[in-house]
Amino acid sequence: MASTWEGCYVLKKLKVNTWNTVNWKVTTIGSTWRSCYNLLDIDLSNWNTSGWPITTVTYTWDNNVRRRNFKDIEHWDTSNWVVTNLSYAW
């Protein structure tokens, strides 16, 4: 997922809560939403991250100066994550 939406300067809303992420094997979310300056709303509420072996979270939300709401990432199951690099995540 690294750099998936990085630099989407005009993106204001992203509705991806319907994505079925249960079988994903994501190892990095680094720079995923980096520099999305106008991103005000993103819905990640139904993402199942329990099987993700995440190691890298660097720059994930870096430079999101107008970000207002990342819905429900506090409910992400990070128990299988083995993060080795969290620098500049926010």
Side-chain angles (χ1 to χ4, degrees), residues 10-15 38-43 71:
V10 296
L11 184 65
K12 292 182 180 180
K13 184 174 184 175
L14 186 61
K15 185 176 180 181
N38 292 303
L39 184 58
L40 298 174
D41 190 20
I42 183 169
D43 189 348
K71 295 178 183 167

Side-chain angles (χ1 to χ4, degrees), residues 11-75:
L11 184 65
K12 292 182 180 180
K13 184 174 184 175
L14 186 61
K15 185 176 180 181
V16 291
N17 64 318
T18 59
W19 290 10
N20 182 355
T21 61
V22 73
N23 292 317
W24 291 13
K25 298 299 178 205
V26 178
T27 58
T28 180
I29 58 172
S31 297
T32 304
W33 297 282
R34 184 180 189 192
S35 298
C36 293
Y37 299 115
N38 292 303
L39 184 58
L40 298 174
D41 190 20
I42 183 169
D43 189 348
L44 307 168
S45 59
N46 292 321
W47 280 24
N48 183 334
T49 62
S50 62
W52 294 10
I54 295 283
T55 57
T56 305
V57 186
T58 56
Y59 297 100
T60 302
W61 298 279
D62 183 47
N63 286 327
N64 280 309
V65 295
R66 295 187 61 200
R67 177 177 40 84
R68 297 288 185 265
N69 195 2
F70 273 71
K71 295 178 183 167
D72 294 325
I73 63 172
E74 70 271 10
H75 298 294

